[in-house]
């Protein structure tokens, strides 16, 4: 298994471009199953392990998938295998996103239950109950969700809690259902909106995305689309923390600043100077480029993760690293997932003073970290360990970096280009 080695203490400077959003690309690629005739073309698709996984899954179903650099073209007219097998789903939970499209277009689906992961049990009961309200007959046995439906029909569905992929699955299913579906207490994430915009360009009739109530009037057919995936707000916020932890001063290009208000507010409160710029870094506001300057000493800031537009749970681990370098005590409360503090134990090995009490982690900032061998446990935890390595005195060796590759495209190369002393050691077979 690959390792990443980081020598800390080097200031980052220059400019970096944010890649396409993994969590927008996954549902959007899955939505190609809804199109019965012709090839859709998706651009700005990040070249990530999870993207390869969903492309493989769609191909095994019979779709024709052409991936070249950041472009993926999919023709799902030939899909005949209505199954997502355990050996694929176990590597990527988001495979559950084919369930809604398969039931909507074919009236049949067998999708492996995703099961839990390092950060929590991650049930899919809300996906299933919503589809049942739309007329699907669902049987869960031997680790698989078997669904059947003559034709899904509209329903008025209220989620117990805002679920991102649950909202996406049901929005896709409702696009081809008979009648109108209303999703209440729906997820408002920008990635949900990106999917809705793409579906509308396919011919779906969707209103209200980005609010807690989304209504979808089903149509009989959707047509192929050309669509550009939105930039990744979590990668962008992670890069902002990279500036903070290295006393950096650099440009982040293609940054969806308007979709990061909660995270930017907390980073600025902690002491980062984050300002929109014109082209080539001049003062101005071209809407896509941002300059991030670290202004130490950092202030300790409390954070509570919440569904969008609150502070993203996917930024919790990265923000904690910044708090290790602040002066004071920060309380970070994780309200979305029940086990998303695995990175704490690794940061403690790097000298961090963090106490976990229930859903909260209390970080007493010491202003420094020391390099150590550490192990990644999940996607965002691995990003936080890279950030810690950038700040730490000495060398940090991060193992199990396949977690990182699921969500960050060539992350160490992007950081190298900014001046980080970081390299990947590829394990010989
Ligand atoms: C999406 O996961 C993201 N993944 C996650 O990103 C992200 O952390 C999460 O949303 C929250 O923002 C993708 O978009 C592919 P949820 P998802 O359903 O949809 C509970 C990353 O790092 N719940 O919004 O699986 C659930 O247990 C990944 O890129 C149910 O109880 O998350 C959790 O406590 C990690 N029943 C809460 O809702 C359900 O049927 C939110 O989960 C569904 C969810």
């Amino acid at each position: 298994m690959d390792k990443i080695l980081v020598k800390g203490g080097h200031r980052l400077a220059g400019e970096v471009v944010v890649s396409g959003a993994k969590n927008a690309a996954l549902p959007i690629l899955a939505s190609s199953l809804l199109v019965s005739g012709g090839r859709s073309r998706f651009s700005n698709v990040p070249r990530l392990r999870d993207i390869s996984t969903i492309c493989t899954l769609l191909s095994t179903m019979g779709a024709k998938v052409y991936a070249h650099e950041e472009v993926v073209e999919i023709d799902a007219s030939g899909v005949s295998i209505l199954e997502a097998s355990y050996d694929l789903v176990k590597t990527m939970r988001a495979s559950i996103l084919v369930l809604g499209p398969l039931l909507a277009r074919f009236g049949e689906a067998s999708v492996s239950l995703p099961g839990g992961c390092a950060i929590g049990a991650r049930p899919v009961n809300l996906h299933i109950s919503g589809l049942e309200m739309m007329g699907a007959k669902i049987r869960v046995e031997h680790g698989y969700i078997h669904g059947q439906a003559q034709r899904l029909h509209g329903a008025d569905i209220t989620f117990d809690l805002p679920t991102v992929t649950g909202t996406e699955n049901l929005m896709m299913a409702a696009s081809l259902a008979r009648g109108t579906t209303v999703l209440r207490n729906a997820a408002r994430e920008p990635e949900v909106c990106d999917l809705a915009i793409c579906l509308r360009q396919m011919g779906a009739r969707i209103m209200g995305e980005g609010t807690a109530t989304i209504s979808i009037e089903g149509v009989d057919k959707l047509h192929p689309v050309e669509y550009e995936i939105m930039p990744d707000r979590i990668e962008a916020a992670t890069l902002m923390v990279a500036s903070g932890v290295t006393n950096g001063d650099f440009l982040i290009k293609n940054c969806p600043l308007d979709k990061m208000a909660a995270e930017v507010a907390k980073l600025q409160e902690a002491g980062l100077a984050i300002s929109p710029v014109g082209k080539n870094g001049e003062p101005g506001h071209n809407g896509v480029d941002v300059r991030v300057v670290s202004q130490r000493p950092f202030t300790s800031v409390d954070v509570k993760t919440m569904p969008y537009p609150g502070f993203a749970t996917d930024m919790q681990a990265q923000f904690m690293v910044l708090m290790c370098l602040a002066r004071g005590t920060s309380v970070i409360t994780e309200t979305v997932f029940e086990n998303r503090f695995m990175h704490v134990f690794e940061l403690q090995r790097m000298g961090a003073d963090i106490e976990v009490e229930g859903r909260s982690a209390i970080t007493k900032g010491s202003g420094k970290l020391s390099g150590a061998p550490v192990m990644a446990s999940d996607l965002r935890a691995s990003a936080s360990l890279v950030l810690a390595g950038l700040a730490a005195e000495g060398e940090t060796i991060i193992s199990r970096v396949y977690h990182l590759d699921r969500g960050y495209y060539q992350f160490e190369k992007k950081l190298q280009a900014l001046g980080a002393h970081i390299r990947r050691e590829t394990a010989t077979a």
Side-chain angles (χ1 to χ4, degrees):
M1 283 188 261
D2 291 5
K3 290 184 171 33
I4 283 185
L5 291 80
V6 195
K7 279 203 173 58
H10 298 275
R11 187 168 180 275
L12 301 190
E15 63 181 52
V16 63
V17 180
V18 176
S19 300
K22 164 178 83 83
N23 290 350
L26 291 171
I28 286 172
L29 295 183
S31 73
S32 62
L33 287 169
L34 294 165
V35 177
S36 46
R39 183 189 291 194
S40 292
R41 185 179 190 279
F42 305 103
S43 55
N44 200 34
V45 179
R47 295 163 67 186
L48 299 169
R49 181 192 289 263
D50 276 6
I51 298 297
S52 317
T53 303
I54 199 161
C55 288
T56 304
L57 173 58
L58 294 170
S59 304
T60 55
M61 289 176 175
K64 289 196 182 63
V65 181
Y66 313 88
H68 177 63
E69 299 193 344
E70 276 78 25
V71 173
V72 174
E73 296 185 342
I74 303 174
D75 179 343
S77 43
V79 166
S80 58
I81 313 282
L82 310 179
E83 177 173 332
S85 67
Y86 175 67
D87 57 355
L88 267 174
V89 175
K90 72 171 185 266
T91 63
M92 187 189 65
R93 311 186 59 266
S95 308
I96 189 76
L97 285 164
V98 303
L99 180 61
L102 287 176
L103 282 175
R105 182 170 155 214
F106 300 98
E108 195 185 328
S110 285
V111 175
S112 167
L113 269 172
C117 73
I119 65 177
R122 306 190 70 184
V124 289
N125 58 307
L126 301 177
H127 300 235
I128 291 171
S129 52
L131 290 166
E132 286 176 327
M133 288 180 71
M134 295 175 72
K137 297 280 172 282
I138 304 266
R139 193 169 33 89
V140 179
E141 61 183 18
H142 307 307
Y144 274 79
I145 303 165
H146 298 287
Q148 288 195 313
Q150 283 305 322
R151 182 177 180 190
L152 294 176
H153 57 69
D156 193 318
I157 299 164
T158 300
F159 288 114
D160 295 356
L161 43 81
T163 157
V164 172
T165 48
T167 301
E168 292 165 345
N169 231 338
L170 293 181
M171 199 161 66
M172 290 190 280
S175 298
L176 286 181
R178 181 172 34 77
T180 299
T181 298
V182 179
L183 303 178
R184 301 181 195 280
N185 197 19
R188 301 164 55 186
E189 271 68 6
E191 294 76 21
V192 174
C193 298
D194 214 28
L195 171 64
I197 296 163
C198 180
L199 287 169
R200 203 162 23 240
Q201 289 185 13
M202 288 176 171
R205 294 199 193 121
I206 297 176
M207 285 193 303
E209 73 276 3
T211 75
T213 304
I214 304 175
S215 61
I216 306 107
E217 188 191 331
V219 295
D220 292 334
K221 202 171 162 52
L222 294 176
H223 53 72
V225 71
E226 294 224 350
Y227 194 76
E228 180 177 329
I229 305 292
M230 66 173 277
D232 191 322
R233 61 191 170 103
I234 304 299
E235 183 191 18
T238 304
L239 290 164
M240 290 178 178
V241 174
S243 173
V245 300
T246 64
N247 258 330
D249 176 353
F250 57 84
L251 266 188
I252 299 177
K253 300 177 82 66
N254 207 18
C255 176
L257 201 60
D258 59 330
K259 300 185 174 62
M260 306 166 61
E263 294 79 24
V264 168
K266 288 292 180 181
L267 290 168
Q268 287 173 327
E269 196 182 335
L272 270 69
I274 300 169
S275 42
V277 294
K279 61 183 186 312
N280 309 324
E282 294 137 22
H285 192 302
N286 64 10
V288 284
D289 297 347
V290 172
R291 186 176 169 203
V292 188
V293 185
S294 161
Q295 285 183 338
R296 292 189 182 204
F298 296 125
T299 307
S300 290
V301 175
D302 294 346
V303 161
K304 183 183 270 193
T305 67
M306 295 295 281
Y308 193 89
F311 190 97
T313 173
D314 291 350
M315 271 305 298
Q316 179 256 107
Q318 299 91 310
F319 192 81
M320 192 180 288
V321 177
L322 195 68
M323 292 299 98
C324 293
L325 302 171
R327 296 274 179 220
T329 300
S330 151
V331 179
I332 296 178
T333 304
E334 173 55 60
T335 72
V336 178
F337 291 111
E338 66 269 26
N339 187 38
R340 201 168 198 176
F341 285 141
M342 307 281 276
H343 47 285
V344 168
F345 314 112
E346 301 305 301
L347 293 175
Q348 286 169 338
R349 302 187 61 250
M350 298 177 72
D353 178 354
I354 307 172
E355 290 284 318
V356 173
E357 284 179 18
R359 302 293 290 248
S360 294
I362 295 106
T363 303
K364 289 195 178 67
S366 64
K368 62 183 185 324
L369 288 167
S370 63
V374 290
M375 188 162 71
S377 52
D378 61 85
L379 167 51
R380 305 303 172 182
S382 49
S384 75
L385 296 178
V386 172
L387 295 171
L390 292 174
E393 196 186 316
E395 183 176 60
T396 299
I397 302 168
I398 303 159
S399 57
R400 298 194 179 180
V401 291
Y402 57 84
H403 289 294
L404 184 74
D405 298 337
R406 294 193 49 193
Y408 291 88
Y409 173 50
Q410 296 193 336
F411 198 47
E412 77 276 4
K413 289 204 169 68
K414 289 189 176 183
L415 294 171
Q416 268 166 10
L418 288 168
H421 289 211
I422 182 171
R423 66 185 174 83
R424 179 182 290 257
E425 202 172 69
T426 302
T428 47

Coordinates of all heavy atoms in Angstrom, one line a residue, residues 244-279:
G244 N -3.1 28.0 5.8 CA -3.0 28.3 7.2 C -1.9 27.6 8.0 O -1.1 28.2 8.6
V245 N -1.9 26.3 7.8 CA -0.9 25.5 8.6 C 0.5 25.7 8.1 O 1.5 25.2 8.8 CB -1.3 24.0 8.6 CG1 -2.7 23.8 9.2 CG2 -1.2 23.4 7.2
T246 N 0.8 26.3 7.0 CA 2.1 26.5 6.5 C 2.5 27.9 6.4 O 3.5 28.3 5.8 CB 2.3 25.9 5.1 OG1 1.5 26.6 4.2 CG2 1.9 24.4 5.1
N247 N 1.8 28.8 7.1 CA 2.1 30.3 6.9 C 2.1 30.7 5.5 O 2.9 31.5 5.0 CB 3.4 30.6 7.5 CG 3.3 31.2 8.9 OD1 2.3 31.9 9.1 ND2 4.2 31.0 9.8
G248 N 1.2 30.1 4.7 CA 1.2 30.2 3.3 C 0.5 31.5 2.8 O -0.1 32.2 3.5
D249 N 0.7 31.7 1.5 CA 0.1 32.8 0.8 C 0.0 32.4 -0.7 O 1.0 32.5 -1.4 CB 1.0 34.1 1.0 CG 0.4 35.3 0.2 OD1 -0.6 35.1 -0.6 OD2 0.9 36.4 0.3
F250 N -1.2 31.9 -1.1 CA -1.3 31.5 -2.5 C -2.7 31.6 -3.0 O -3.7 31.9 -2.3 CB -0.8 30.0 -2.6 CG -1.5 29.0 -1.8 CD1 -2.7 28.4 -2.2 CD2 -1.0 28.6 -0.6 CE1 -3.4 27.5 -1.4 CE2 -1.6 27.6 0.2 CZ -2.8 27.0 -0.2
L251 N -2.8 31.5 -4.3 CA -4.1 31.6 -5.0 C -4.8 30.3 -5.2 O -4.1 29.3 -5.5 CB -3.8 32.2 -6.4 CG -3.9 33.7 -6.7 CD1 -3.8 33.9 -8.2 CD2 -5.2 34.3 -6.2
I252 N -6.1 30.2 -4.9 CA -6.8 29.0 -5.1 C -7.8 29.4 -6.3 O -8.6 30.3 -6.2 CB -7.6 28.6 -3.9 CG1 -6.7 28.3 -2.7 CG2 -8.5 27.4 -4.2 CD1 -7.4 27.9 -1.4
K253 N -7.6 28.7 -7.4 CA -8.3 29.0 -8.6 C -9.5 28.1 -8.8 O -9.4 26.9 -8.3 CB -7.4 29.0 -9.9 CG -6.3 30.0 -9.8 CD -5.3 29.9 -11.0 CE -5.8 30.6 -12.2 NZ -5.9 32.1 -11.9
N254 N -10.6 28.6 -9.4 CA -11.8 27.8 -9.6 C -12.4 27.4 -8.2 O -12.8 26.2 -8.0 CB -11.4 26.5 -10.4 CG -12.7 26.0 -11.2 OD1 -13.6 26.8 -11.4 ND2 -12.7 24.8 -11.6
C255 N -12.4 28.3 -7.3 CA -12.9 28.1 -6.0 C -14.4 28.5 -5.8 O -14.7 29.7 -6.0 CB -12.0 28.9 -5.0 SG -12.5 28.8 -3.3
P256 N -15.2 27.6 -5.4 CA -16.7 28.0 -5.3 C -17.0 28.7 -4.0 O -17.7 28.2 -3.1 CB -17.4 26.6 -5.3 CG -16.4 25.7 -4.7 CD -15.0 26.2 -5.1
L257 N -16.4 29.9 -3.8 CA -16.4 30.7 -2.6 C -17.9 30.9 -2.1 O -18.2 30.8 -0.9 CB -15.8 32.0 -2.8 CG -15.3 32.7 -1.5 CD1 -14.2 31.9 -0.8 CD2 -14.7 34.1 -1.9
D258 N -18.8 31.0 -3.1 CA -20.2 31.3 -2.7 C -20.9 30.1 -2.0 O -22.0 30.2 -1.5 CB -21.0 31.8 -3.9 CG -21.0 30.8 -5.0 OD1 -20.0 30.0 -5.1 OD2 -22.0 30.7 -5.8
K259 N -20.2 29.0 -2.1 CA -20.8 27.7 -1.5 C -20.1 27.3 -0.3 O -20.2 26.2 0.2 CB -20.8 26.6 -2.6 CG -21.6 27.0 -3.8 CD -21.8 25.9 -4.8 CE -22.7 26.3 -5.9 NZ -22.2 27.5 -6.7
M260 N -19.3 28.2 0.3 CA -18.4 27.8 1.4 C -18.5 28.8 2.6 O -17.6 29.0 3.3 CB -16.9 27.8 0.9 CG -16.7 26.9 -0.2 SD -15.1 27.2 -1.0 CE -14.0 26.8 0.4
A261 N -19.6 29.5 2.7 CA -19.8 30.6 3.6 C -19.5 30.2 5.1 O -18.7 30.8 5.8 CB -21.1 31.2 3.5
A262 N -20.0 29.1 5.5 CA -19.8 28.6 6.9 C -18.4 28.3 7.1 O -17.8 28.7 8.2 CB -20.7 27.4 7.2
E263 N -17.7 27.6 6.2 CA -16.3 27.2 6.5 C -15.4 28.4 6.4 O -14.5 28.6 7.2 CB -15.9 26.2 5.4 CG -16.6 24.8 5.5 CD -18.0 24.9 4.9 OE1 -18.3 25.8 4.0 OE2 -18.9 24.1 5.3
V264 N -15.7 29.3 5.4 CA -14.8 30.5 5.3 C -15.0 31.4 6.5 O -14.0 31.9 7.1 CB -15.1 31.3 4.0 CG1 -14.5 32.7 4.0 CG2 -14.7 30.5 2.8
A265 N -16.2 31.5 7.0 CA -16.4 32.4 8.2 C -15.6 31.9 9.4 O -14.9 32.7 10.1 CB -17.9 32.4 8.6
K266 N -15.5 30.6 9.6 CA -14.8 30.0 10.7 C -13.3 30.1 10.5 O -12.5 30.4 11.4 CB -15.2 28.5 10.9 CG -16.5 28.3 11.5 CD -16.6 28.8 13.0 CE -18.0 28.7 13.6 NZ -18.0 29.2 15.0
L267 N -12.8 29.9 9.2 CA -11.4 30.1 8.9 C -10.9 31.5 9.1 O -9.9 31.8 9.7 CB -11.1 29.6 7.5 CG -11.2 28.1 7.2 CD1 -11.2 27.8 5.7 CD2 -10.1 27.3 7.9
Q268 N -11.8 32.5 8.7 CA -11.4 33.9 8.9 C -11.4 34.2 10.4 O -10.5 34.9 10.9 CB -12.4 34.8 8.2 CG -12.2 34.7 6.6 CD -13.3 35.5 5.9 OE1 -14.5 35.5 6.3 NE2 -12.9 36.0 4.7
E269 N -12.4 33.7 11.2 CA -12.5 33.9 12.6 C -11.2 33.4 13.3 O -10.7 34.0 14.2 CB -13.7 33.2 13.2 CG -14.1 33.7 14.6 CD -15.3 32.9 15.1 OE1 -16.1 32.3 14.3 OE2 -15.4 32.7 16.3
A270 N -10.7 32.3 12.7 CA -9.4 31.7 13.3 C -8.2 32.5 12.9 O -7.2 32.4 13.6 CB -9.3 30.3 12.8
G271 N -8.3 33.3 11.9 CA -7.2 34.2 11.5 C -6.7 34.1 10.1 O -5.6 34.8 9.8
L272 N -7.3 33.4 9.2 CA -6.9 33.3 7.9 C -7.4 34.6 7.1 O -8.6 34.9 7.4 CB -7.3 32.1 7.2 CG -6.4 30.9 7.2 CD1 -6.3 30.3 8.6 CD2 -6.8 29.8 6.2
A273 N -6.6 35.1 6.2 CA -7.1 36.2 5.4 C -7.5 35.6 4.0 O -6.7 35.0 3.3 CB -6.0 37.2 5.1
I274 N -8.8 35.6 3.8 CA -9.4 34.9 2.6 C -10.1 36.0 1.7 O -11.1 36.5 2.2 CB -10.4 33.8 3.0 CG1 -9.6 32.7 3.8 CG2 -11.0 33.1 1.7 CD1 -10.6 31.7 4.5
S275 N -9.5 36.3 0.6 CA -10.2 37.3 -0.2 C -10.3 37.0 -1.7 O -9.3 36.5 -2.3 CB -9.4 38.6 0.0 OG -8.0 38.3 -0.1
P276 N -11.5 37.3 -2.3 CA -11.6 37.0 -3.7 C -10.7 38.0 -4.5 O -10.4 39.1 -4.0 CB -13.1 37.4 -4.0 CG -13.6 38.1 -2.8 CD -12.7 37.9 -1.7
V277 N -10.2 37.5 -5.6 CA -9.3 38.4 -6.4 C -9.7 38.3 -7.9 O -10.5 37.5 -8.3 CB -7.8 37.8 -6.3 CG1 -7.3 38.0 -5.0 CG2 -7.7 36.4 -6.8
G278 N -9.2 39.3 -8.6 CA -9.5 39.4 -10.0 C -8.5 38.4 -10.7 O -7.8 37.6 -10.1
K279 N -8.4 38.5 -12.1 CA -7.6 37.5 -12.8 C -6.1 37.8 -12.4 O -5.7 38.9 -12.1 CB -7.8 37.5 -14.3 CG -7.5 38.8 -15.0 CD -7.8 38.7 -16.5 CE -7.4 39.9 -17.2 NZ -7.8 41.2 -16.6

